[in-house]
């Protein structure tokens, strides 16, 4: 199959128009900036997906970044990581108790479990207090 000679840079020719190819121009720089900003907020993967969604009235999400919440998210992430670490230790202690050990070892491990439980509770209280402070702002 031989290709038709085209005189346009994108491969179009006058005798074989393609309806699925659309080109638009946005001549005003302020409109370009506005469109680019809306595209970035939309979370769309490509500009084409964003424009297609807007033209066809498809729902799309808008992602906004709250600069004041960065510190809150950082602290909450630290608390979550600490809870995860303690949870791992807690699980290890429970597995050790379930395996066959002496009574003395089991008592020591139960004391550790109590300490881990108290630490988890205090970290959860910190997370709750942090969230309440953030919501008050």
């Amino acid at each position: 199959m031989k290709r038709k000679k085209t005189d346009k840079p994108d491969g179009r020719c006058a005798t074989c128009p393609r309806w699925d190819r659309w080109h638009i121009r946005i001549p005003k720089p302020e409109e370009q900036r506005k469109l680019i900003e809306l595209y970035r907020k939309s979370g769309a993967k490509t500009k084409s997906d964003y424009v297609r969604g807007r033209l066809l009235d498809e729902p799309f999400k808008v992602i906004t970044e709250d600069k004041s919440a960065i510190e809150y998210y950082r602290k909450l992430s630290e608390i979550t990581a600490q809870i995860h670490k303690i949870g791992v230790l807690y699980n290890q202690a429970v597995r050790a108790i379930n395996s066959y050990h002496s009574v003395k070892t089991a008592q020591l491990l139960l004391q550790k479990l109590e300490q881990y439980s108290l630490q988890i509770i205090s970290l959860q209280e910190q997370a709750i207090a942090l969230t309440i402070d953030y919501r008050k702002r």
Side-chain angles (χ1 to χ4, degrees):
M1 189 166 136
K2 193 173 182 181
R3 286 189 86 172
K4 294 181 181 179
K5 185 177 179 183
T6 62
D7 53 353
K8 306 216 179 207
D10 62 352
R12 292 179 295 144
C13 64
T15 60
C16 55
R18 292 194 49 178
W19 285 98
D20 64 346
R21 187 176 294 145
W22 293 64
H23 300 274
I24 62 166
R25 280 186 288 148
I26 303 168
K28 296 181 183 176
E30 59 271 0
E31 288 178 352
Q32 291 175 6
R33 283 190 288 274
K34 183 179 178 183
L35 187 63
I36 290 170
E37 185 63 31
L38 289 172
Y39 160 68
R40 287 184 182 148
K41 286 182 180 179
S42 72
K45 291 183 180 180
T46 63
K47 291 176 191 170
S48 177
D49 290 340
Y50 171 72
V51 172
R52 188 178 317 107
R54 293 300 300 250
L55 286 174
L56 300 175
D57 289 331
E58 294 175 357
F60 61 94
K61 61 183 176 182
V62 176
I63 300 171
T64 58
E65 186 175 308
D66 187 6
K67 302 287 185 189
S68 64
I70 292 175
E71 186 66 22
Y72 165 72
Y73 292 134
R74 187 186 63 75
K75 287 181 182 178
L76 195 60
S77 296
E78 288 175 4
I79 291 172
T80 305
Q82 289 175 352
I83 289 174
H84 179 72
K85 288 177 185 177
I86 294 171
V88 169
L89 295 173
Y90 191 93
N91 287 339
Q92 289 174 352
V94 168
R95 285 186 181 175
I97 288 173
N98 288 333
S99 63
Y100 297 103
H101 286 292
S102 66
V103 174
K104 203 174 223 182
T105 306
Q107 288 175 343
L108 288 173
L109 290 172
L110 281 173
Q111 289 175 356
K112 281 187 178 182
L113 284 178
E114 289 176 9
Q115 292 172 355
Y116 294 149
S117 296
L118 293 175
Q119 289 176 352
I120 288 174
I121 290 169
S122 69
L123 287 170
Q124 288 174 339
E125 289 173 351
Q126 287 177 12
I128 290 169
L130 185 66
T131 303
I132 290 170
D133 289 344
Y134 174 73
R135 288 184 180 169
K136 285 181 181 177
R137 282 192 266 155

